[in-house]
Amino acid sequence: METSQSNEPCTSPSSSACAGDPACDLVTVPARQGLEAVDILRRAGADAVGPVLHDDDRDTLGFLVPAGTAACWDVPGSTCTETDGRGLRLDPGPPVAGSDWLLPPGETDPATDPAVLRRALGEAARLIEVADKCC
């Protein structure tokens, strides 16, 4: 797995808190890397960890990030999609069939800080790469 060399997004995402704004963006990563990143974020006591969606059908995790993040998201192996509120419900129930909240809205910050997420995904990719080489 590779990660971007950049540690900061190239533009500042809007200050939208996402919780009341359905125009959040969604960063989607493979579940293994995403679960590792969640663990890294929680161990580090990251201030801005928002809701995380687990899609069982696609074996992915989705991190809610502030609107505007998708414009410059460049982490290989992940995608960042502008949701513009389409199909995204920020309530504790699963937003789509085959998915569930790993970290539900209301129990977390409104959105994950994209710079913090970028660093955690990079660290997760490196840890997974080392673990795969050891075994």
Side-chain angles (χ1 to χ4, degrees):
M1 284 185 204
E2 292 182 17
T3 59
S4 168
Q5 296 301 314
S6 170
N7 287 329
E8 302 297 327
C10 62
T11 61
S12 298
S14 77
S15 60
S16 164
C18 284
D21 180 5
C24 295
D25 292 347
L26 183 72
V27 172
T28 306
V29 299
R32 184 176 179 200
Q33 183 181 13
L35 290 169
E36 189 66 45
V38 167
D39 189 41
I40 290 165
L41 291 168
R42 294 181 113 184
R43 278 193 325 249
D47 291 333
V49 180
V52 178
L53 182 67
H54 183 217
D55 185 339
D56 292 324
D57 293 342
R58 293 191 178 117
D59 200 27
T60 60
L61 256 61
F63 294 82
L64 289 181
V65 294
T69 301
C72 287
W73 189 258
D74 63 351
V75 178
S78 69
T79 59
C80 188
T81 307
E82 294 178 356
T83 65
D84 295 325
R86 295 179 305 242
L88 184 64
R89 290 189 335 232
L90 294 180
D91 64 40
V96 295
S99 69
D100 203 357
W101 292 107
L102 181 66
L103 298 176
E107 294 181 18
T108 64
D109 282 355
T112 300
D113 180 301
V116 171
L117 179 58
R118 181 185 307 272
R119 286 190 296 272
L121 289 172
E123 184 177 340
R126 289 185 295 276
L127 289 171
I128 291 168
E129 185 177 354
V130 168
D132 286 350
K133 286 181 180 179
C134 287
C135 301

